[in-house]
Amino acid sequence: MMKVIVIGAGHAGVAFADAMRRNGFAGELTMIDRLAGLPLERPPLSKAFLLAEDGEESSFALRASGWFADRQITLVTGRGVAGLDAGTRQVTLDDGGTLSYDRLVLATGATPRQLANTADMDGVFVLRDPDDARRLRTAARAARSALVIGGGYIGLEVAASLTKAGKMVTVIEAAPRLLARVASPPVSAFFATRHGDAGVDIITGAAMSEIRHDNGGFVGATLEDGRQIDADMLVVGIGVAPNTDLAAQADLAIANGIVTDGTMRTSRPDIYAIGDGAFDGSGAYGLRIESVHNAQEQAERAAASITGNDVPRRQVPWFWSDQYDVKLQSAGVLPANNTDLHHVQRAGRREGGFSVWSFADDDLVAVEAIGDPAAYVLGKTCLESGRAPRPVQLADAGFDLKSFVADKPVA
Ligand code: FAD
């Protein structure tokens, strides 16, 4: 009987196990995760989970407790995989135990980057897994103020949650605008205003001089221009590095992540990589993407490939973020160096809602919708079909976008 081992029971790993059984895989399926307990969702960790009471965690489970046993999935938690021998097809657990596989899936995610010299400082937090969120939540209860370094989605979501909990929050971002790597300038400007209205002090273009501590406990930061920000705790949200240690042990190709083809197969045909740690080098969206949708979509592709089924076509990537009462939904990918893009803003039907349509030359590359789910759906359809309105049409408030999309369905 074929044995498949999945390392990592996060969004990608669990979606993969689910897809394997749906694809008719009847062999042995084992999932291993170093975190103890039932696997939990990640997006709430910067949102509802941070504001939840300690005992209220079951609603954040990725799957209910009986789900794994019902599908004959062996879930080994609280055990890390320390070694991978691709020659003998064996993994070694951190308690010394070994398991053999016919196919291996690396769904090991990513690790938050730390700020230099803060690793041993009390009162400094990163946020990736439920244990990080529990620590942050406990500290936040006792704190009056927080400094968030990094104005990306996670930093801003934490800022919104802590502000909702009554804390004084400052966000420092090195780039000239918030969300510079991942959002269009109008969306960055919207969130800067929304956070400012909520009382968050946003400092962009900020160069850090020193993280200050007293007896090893964080007390504040000093910027290069001399500004001092005192706070009771520090949240570092400056991005993640893909987990590639096991891939390196197996001599797999590694770029900004574990390199795969479009079926999520690595440079060894019996090892696959999916989720935040994978770098899908094929096709139009050949990048490493950090989102739940990407993890699920790659899981479907890997499962179809391993079971010999048709590998689903790649989808347009999508993402969401919740901050205060605002929902952002985005489809497509804004190139990291997105200064050459042309953006068209369009008012939505709901009060305050709008969408931003980003073009590289005449090609629509991304649609971001704030409080405008209809625009998100229409924009995603345009991206999927490759048929989009021209910028001048979108800029016209009277242009009937819905009819444009509906009248001429995708070939
Ligand atoms: P993970 O979910 O991180 O799972 C990887 C698992 O591998 C972990 O459980 C880890 O313990 C395990 N592991 C790693 N190495 C080993 C080892 N050697 N042995 C055993 N186990 C190992 N995305 C959105 O689309 N929308 C959002 O609003 C959103 N919000 C987010 C908020 C936060 C706070 C975070 C952290 C992420 C958010 N994301 C969001 C991103 C999304 O959660 C990730 O893209 C997704 O979790 C990636 O899934 P993954 O399985 O690759 O990684």
Side-chain angles (χ1 to χ4, degrees), residues 31-392:
M31 307 193 69
I32 308 164
D33 201 296
R34 61 158 69 104
L35 298 174
L38 199 58
L40 301 182
E41 292 180 278
R42 301 303 192 262
L45 300 182
S46 48
K47 311 172 186 93
F49 191 97
L50 271 192
L51 304 176
E53 296 300 322
D54 289 345
E56 288 176 357
E57 293 189 0
S58 59
S59 62
F60 301 109
L62 269 166
R63 296 289 188 278
S65 55
W67 186 89
F68 296 90
D70 288 350
R71 283 158 186 76
Q72 285 83 47
I73 297 165
T74 306
L75 177 63
V76 180
T77 60
R79 284 272 165 278
V81 175
L84 165 57
D85 185 334
T88 58
R89 291 186 169 171
Q90 271 201 342
V91 296
T92 306
L93 304 187
D94 51 14
D95 64 359
T98 56
L99 292 168
S100 60
Y101 63 83
D102 299 302
R103 295 287 179 279
L104 180 70
V105 178
L106 298 172
T108 45
T111 301
R113 294 185 204 282
Q114 307 266 358
L115 276 184
N117 307 323
T118 60
D120 297 325
M121 212 182 271
D122 288 336
V124 178
F125 303 88
V126 292
L127 182 53
R128 176 74 197 181
D129 63 37
D131 287 342
D132 296 330
R134 288 181 192 112
R135 280 190 286 270
L136 208 165
R137 182 167 68 190
T138 303
R141 283 183 189 140
R144 278 177 308 146
S145 59
L147 172 62
V148 176
I149 295 188
Y153 281 119
I154 289 182
L156 292 182
E157 288 179 356
V158 170
S161 298
L162 295 181
T163 302
K164 269 188 187 170
K167 316 297 167 191
M168 300 281 294
V169 181
T170 303
V171 175
I172 294 180
E173 166 57 49
R177 63 179 170 98
L178 297 176
L179 301 167
R181 231 171 23 94
V182 288
S184 63
V187 167
S188 298
F190 170 84
F191 279 113
T193 303
R194 185 65 188 82
H195 279 276
D197 289 348
V200 177
D201 193 6
I202 302 270
I203 306 173
T204 52
M208 188 65 60
S209 165
E210 188 191 358
I211 303 293
R212 288 178 283 111
H213 65 94
D214 184 10
N215 271 329
F218 169 79
V219 292
T222 305
L223 303 186
E224 265 182 9
D225 64 8
R227 265 183 290 181
Q228 304 241 357
I229 297 120
D230 295 336
D232 297 331
M233 58 188 288
L234 170 64
V235 182
V236 179
I238 56 171
V240 295
N243 289 331
T244 55
D245 293 4
L246 294 173
Q249 288 186 33
D251 277 335
L252 303 182
I254 295 169
N256 173 26
I258 307 164
V259 176
T260 73
D261 65 12
T263 69
M264 308 317 297
R265 205 187 279 241
T266 67
S267 50
R268 283 191 75 100
D270 50 356
I271 304 181
Y272 288 69
I274 54 176
D276 280 12
F279 180 93
D280 173 356
S282 67
Y285 294 108
L287 338 132
R288 195 174 66 76
I289 296 177
E290 296 161 18
S291 77
V292 168
H293 166 252
N294 176 67
Q296 292 171 338
E297 201 232 347
Q298 293 186 340
E300 293 289 338
R301 280 193 265 147
S305 170
I306 293 174
T307 53
N309 288 306
D310 288 344
V311 175
R313 213 165 53 91
R314 285 152 140 248
Q315 297 167 8
V316 171
W318 57 263
F319 180 82
W320 80 95
S321 174
D322 295 316
Q323 297 170 44
Y324 309 104
D325 52 352
V326 176
K327 181 176 275 301
L328 164 99
Q329 294 167 287
S330 76
V333 173
L334 285 164
N337 174 11
N338 57 33
T339 47
D340 293 338
L341 299 181
H342 171 55
H343 310 282
V344 182
Q345 189 164 329
R346 212 178 141 76
R349 287 239 186 95
R350 297 183 185 172
E351 196 187 333
F354 69 96
S355 55
V356 178
W357 299 63
S358 296
F359 291 83
D361 298 322
D362 289 336
D363 294 333
L364 180 67
V365 293
V367 178
E368 299 154 287
I370 287 182
D372 192 356
Y376 164 70
V377 171
L378 294 171
K380 190 159 168 280
T381 307
C382 289
L383 286 161
E384 279 161 356
S385 68
R387 181 180 161 273
R390 282 175 289 116
V392 64

